[in-house]
Amino acid sequence: QLQLQESGPGLVKPSETLSLTCTVSGGSISSSSYYWGWIRQPPGKGLEWIGSIYYSGSTYYNPSLKSRVTISVDTSKNQFSLKLSSVTAADTAVYYCARGCGQQWLIDNWFDPWGQGTLVTVSS
Amino acid sequence: QSVLTQPPSVSGAPGQRVTISCTGSSSNIGAGYDVHWYQQLPGTAPKLLIYGNSNRPSGVPDRFSGSKSGTSASLAITGLQAEDEADYYCQSYDSSLKGVFGGGTKLTVL
C-alpha cells in the first residue's frame, strides 16, 4: 500500500525559503505510470495545486507560483521535494504531497493517495 | 476566486439525495478535460472519491456518483449518512492554469 509522508520545518520566517520533502513508501517513485504533486490548503480555505513532477524530472508549476517554486525528485531516496522562495504570511498553509494518476502527464491527472499534510506557518 | 465554481454549502437529511455542482469554462471542463472529486473529512487529508468524471475507486460506496455535461460536472450522493458530512472538492485541468480545484462545498447532514 503506497504511503506518502511530508516532512520539514513547521515555521518559516517571511522572505525565507520554505523547504519540504515527501517520502514515498510501499512503491517506487520511478514508476513510469505515475506523477507526483504538491497541493496546499490555507487554514479554513480550499485546495491549491502547486506543481507536479515526473520521475524523469519534468515539472509543471502553477503559473501564479511559478517564479518562486522548485520541485525536484531524488529517485535514490524515493523522495520528491518542494522549495518555495520569498514566502509571506499568505503562504501559511497545510502542504500535501500526493501521487498523480492518469494516462497523460499532467492532463486529466487525479491525485491518489495523499500524504497526511504538514502545516507550515510563515511568521517572524 | 476559484476557476471551478462550487456552491459553498449544501445540506440534506439522512437518507436523502444531494448534488454538488462544479462549473467551469471552455478552457477546462468545457474543453473536454476530466473532472475528479475528493472528500475531505474534518482534520484529514482529501481522499479521492470519483476520477475521470464518473469512476469510483475501489472501496468508495456506490452511493457516490459523478457526471459531466458541457462546462459543468456534478457529484451526487444518495442515501445520505451522517458520516458523509465533509468538504467536497472538484478538480480538473485548465489549458492555461494546468491543475485547478474548485473552492469546495461543505456538506451538512441535518
Side-chain angles (χ1 to χ4, degrees), chain A residues 26-120:
Chain A
S28 174
I29 203 169
S30 299
S31 170
S32 59
S33 301
Y34 301 108
Y35 324 98
W36 309 93
W38 287 99
I39 303 101
R40 70 179 182 179
Q41 184 173 35
K45 296 188 178 180
L47 301 168
E48 179 181 35
W49 173 73
I50 299 172
S52 295
I53 190 166
Y54 195 41
Y55 79 96
S56 63
S58 297
T59 54
Y60 272 107
Y61 300 135
N62 184 322
S64 69
L65 299 170
K66 188 175 182 178
S67 63
R68 299 193 292 131
V69 173
T70 302
I71 296 177
S72 59
V73 64
D74 186 336
T75 55
S76 66
K77 295 182 179 179
N78 229 31
Q79 296 176 332
F80 63 107
S81 299
L82 167 70
K83 290 188 185 301
L84 181 65
S85 64
S86 305
V87 297
T88 69
D91 295 310
T92 294
V94 175
Y95 285 76
Y96 296 101
C97 61
R99 182 181 66 177
C101 308
Q103 292 189 337
Q104 291 190 75
W105 164 221
L106 193 64
I107 296 175
D108 289 340
N109 287 176
W110 60 93
F111 295 104
D112 179 54
W114 296 53
Q116 66 182 28
T118 187
L119 174 63
V120 178

Side-chain angles (χ1 to χ4, degrees), chain A residues 7-13 17-21 93 95 118-121:
Chain A
S7 59
L11 181 64
V12 181
K13 289 182 169 56
T17 296
L18 177 160
S19 295
L20 295 175
T21 296
Y95 285 76
T118 187
L119 174 63
V120 178
T121 301

